[in-house]
Amino acid sequence: MLDFSGEVDRSMASVKGAGPERLGTLVRLVGLRLEARGVLAPIGSVCEIVGQDGARVEAEVVGFSDKTLYLMPFTEPLGIGPGATVRVVPDSSLVSLGPDLLGRVIDGRGEPLDNLPKPRGVAKLSLTVGLPVNPMERGPINQILDVGVKAMNGLLTMGKGQRIGLVAGSGVGKSVLLGMLTRFTQADLVVIGLVGERGREVQAFIAETLGKEGLAKSVVVAAPANVSPVLRLKAANMTHLIAEYFRDQGKDVLMLCDSLTRVAHAQREIGLAVGEPPTAKGYPPSVFALLPNLIERAGVGRNGRGSITAIYTVLAEGDDGNDPIVDIARASLDGQVMLSRKLADAAHYPAIDLTGSISRLAQNLLNAEDLQTANRFRRLWSLYQQNVDLIQVGAYVKGTNPELDDAIRLRPLMENFLRQDWQMGFSEPQTRTDVRQLMMG
């Protein structure tokens, strides 16, 4: 049983900016973890560490043991040594949110990355808590969301407030598809979290894939791979908090988080640094608690007011569909879109493979005729995939299976339908008409 003898109350007063400031001392550095004594602060608060020569480093409280705080620095702790002074930064968990965020690129702490003045906020909210919604107060998902991508509009229909995973290996057109969704989706605004990506890819995504038109109705939160894991995790939380803020204003928000796997990697680094035991594929238990909590923050708002439609990219490392992060995403989300390396190698873009892709809410959004038509398209596509070797070597005899005959006959039309230029969007009603006409031959 821990006994802080009243020190917690005084430390919390320091965090809120009230009462006397309490200073501690840095006593140890182990890997990524700094240890301090003499100061108490809650998990998630920020401390400033001042070295003997005046060097200053900020770090976040990620754990504690007895009266020792475990800190993880935001930058390399250069110039910091034993005996360095540690103090709690007041109001460190609060961030400013408001309409001025639109069109801006910020980091996980709300600081600008686009060389423009810091966005002005109209509300201060805690980055560590979020804005949870009672599940009994959530509105239903009963409105179709037009995303402008034929394969998704016609065959993997999404609803406003749905959470879906974009599962892919590296280099199969994931970022381009995200850019298409950003530009073509019929949403009030888009919140994009780029977590753990290469710095070059962050700039390329904003300048080339997103473009000025896409950025104008977006908020981009970026934390590239070279920054501290706590800043990457903050970026994921900031992305969700911004989306929640606009949802509670009654807006229909599209939230893109690229990627959920990199968020898990950041939490893995933090968890291992504070002494958590590694479990599946080296991930500590905190990872499997974090991801469902993040995912559940998306969805329809209270009594149907506003929505967050969330698309999380999930990296199938080595194209392994049984990766533990892929498994937990598949279990927690309302469907997944699988991207195929074989299709990408054949210059079939977007490389959406209907085999393994599903929208679990399509049956609630479509009428019986459209649902039956979409399911027949998917069935013929999968049937051809299952027999492709027999077909290509000429071993299949026409007339053996009438449904497979239809799959072979319609295959060129189906492939042409699923291909789409990244600069062209297609409306949901027109796509639905195209699917019906294609299935009628």
Side-chain angles (χ1 to χ4, degrees), residues 255-328:
M255 183 182 71
L256 308 177
C257 185
D258 184 17
S259 71
L260 198 66
T261 305
R262 304 299 189 202
V263 175
H265 289 176
Q267 181 60 38
R268 177 170 64 182
E269 292 180 49
I270 295 172
L272 295 178
V274 298
E276 281 192 81
T279 55
K281 212 169 183 179
Y283 291 104
S286 60
V287 171
F288 302 104
L290 169 70
L291 299 186
N293 283 338
L294 276 181
I295 291 168
E296 283 302 315
R297 293 172 66 174
V300 180
R302 287 181 176 85
N303 304 314
R305 185 171 184 268
S307 66
I308 301 174
T309 305
I311 299 180
Y312 297 93
T313 64
V314 185
L315 299 177
E317 298 182 358
D319 294 329
D320 180 11
N322 296 317
D323 180 89
I325 303 304
V326 176
D327 278 343
I328 195 171

Side-chain angles (χ1 to χ4, degrees), residues 359-403:
S359 172
R360 296 178 182 171
L361 298 179
Q363 60 186 5
N364 300 332
L365 301 169
L366 300 177
N367 59 48
E369 179 185 356
D370 286 336
L371 181 63
Q372 184 178 7
T373 303
N375 285 342
R376 182 166 184 264
F377 189 116
R378 290 164 48 83
R379 187 167 60 252
L380 293 181
W381 177 273
S382 297
L383 187 61
Y384 185 95
Q385 295 289 87
Q386 293 164 7
N387 294 275
V388 65
D389 292 336
L390 291 176
I391 296 168
Q392 289 179 347
V393 300
Y396 173 72
V397 179
K398 184 177 180 180
T400 305
N401 184 337
E403 197 167 38

Side-chain angles (χ1 to χ4, degrees), residues 66 70 122 126 129 133 143 166 196 210 222 224 235 288 339 368 384 419:
D66 195 14
Y70 296 154
V122 297
S126 173
V129 177
V133 177
Q143 297 182 52
L166 200 60
L210 194 58
F288 302 104
L339 298 187
Y384 185 95
R419 287 192 178 101

